Amino acid sequence: QVQLQESGPGLVKPSQTLSLTCTVSGGSITTSDYAWGWIRQPPGKGLEWMGVITYYGSTYYSPSLKSRASITRDPSKDQFSLQLSSVTPEDTAVYYCARDPGDRSWERYDYWGQGAQVTVSS
């Protein structure tokens, strides 16, 4: 029913800003009480929650990323986006967008995109 798809450049240079967009189909990003999040997985490592934007537009970020991460949304397009500034090779990962069914940990998110590989390299 609900489908999410990530899009954006797969290669970013160090010190630049990583930008990804998630397009939601089969649902509205303004429907209560859902929230919309970003999670990433570096190669050989586990999943890392990055942040979320609620259906009413509030944002919450992982403390380790809050200084660099920004999540925005465009309700007219049912899209939400991630910007991660000042990237380094340590930011290389598969990036996922996903739906939070209601103030849940990322392990309980119910719909996920297929993931987008982003490589940070010069």
Side-chain angles (χ1 to χ4, degrees), residues 1-94:
Q1 185 178 357
V2 177
Q3 297 183 12
L4 295 81
Q5 183 171 3
E6 305 89 348
S7 62
L11 182 64
V12 184
K13 294 183 177 180
S15 82
Q16 296 187 339
T17 296
L18 180 159
S19 183
L20 293 169
T21 295
C22 183
T23 300
V24 177
S25 302
S28 171
I29 64 171
T30 61
T31 297
S32 63
D33 294 311
Y34 300 120
W36 307 88
W38 289 97
I39 308 93
R40 68 180 182 179
Q41 185 171 34
K45 299 182 180 179
L47 294 165
E48 177 188 19
W49 182 81
M50 302 184 69
V52 67
I53 187 164
T54 71
Y55 71 96
Y56 54 90
S58 294
T59 53
Y60 302 89
Y61 302 102
S62 168
S64 65
L65 297 170
K66 63 181 180 181
S67 67
R68 297 194 293 132
S70 178
I71 300 174
T72 57
R73 65 176 185 161
D74 186 346
S76 71
K77 298 180 179 180
D78 277 324
Q79 292 180 332
F80 63 103
S81 298
L82 168 72
Q83 294 82 42
L84 186 67
S85 66
S86 303
V87 299
T88 74
E90 295 300 308
D91 294 309
T92 294
V94 176

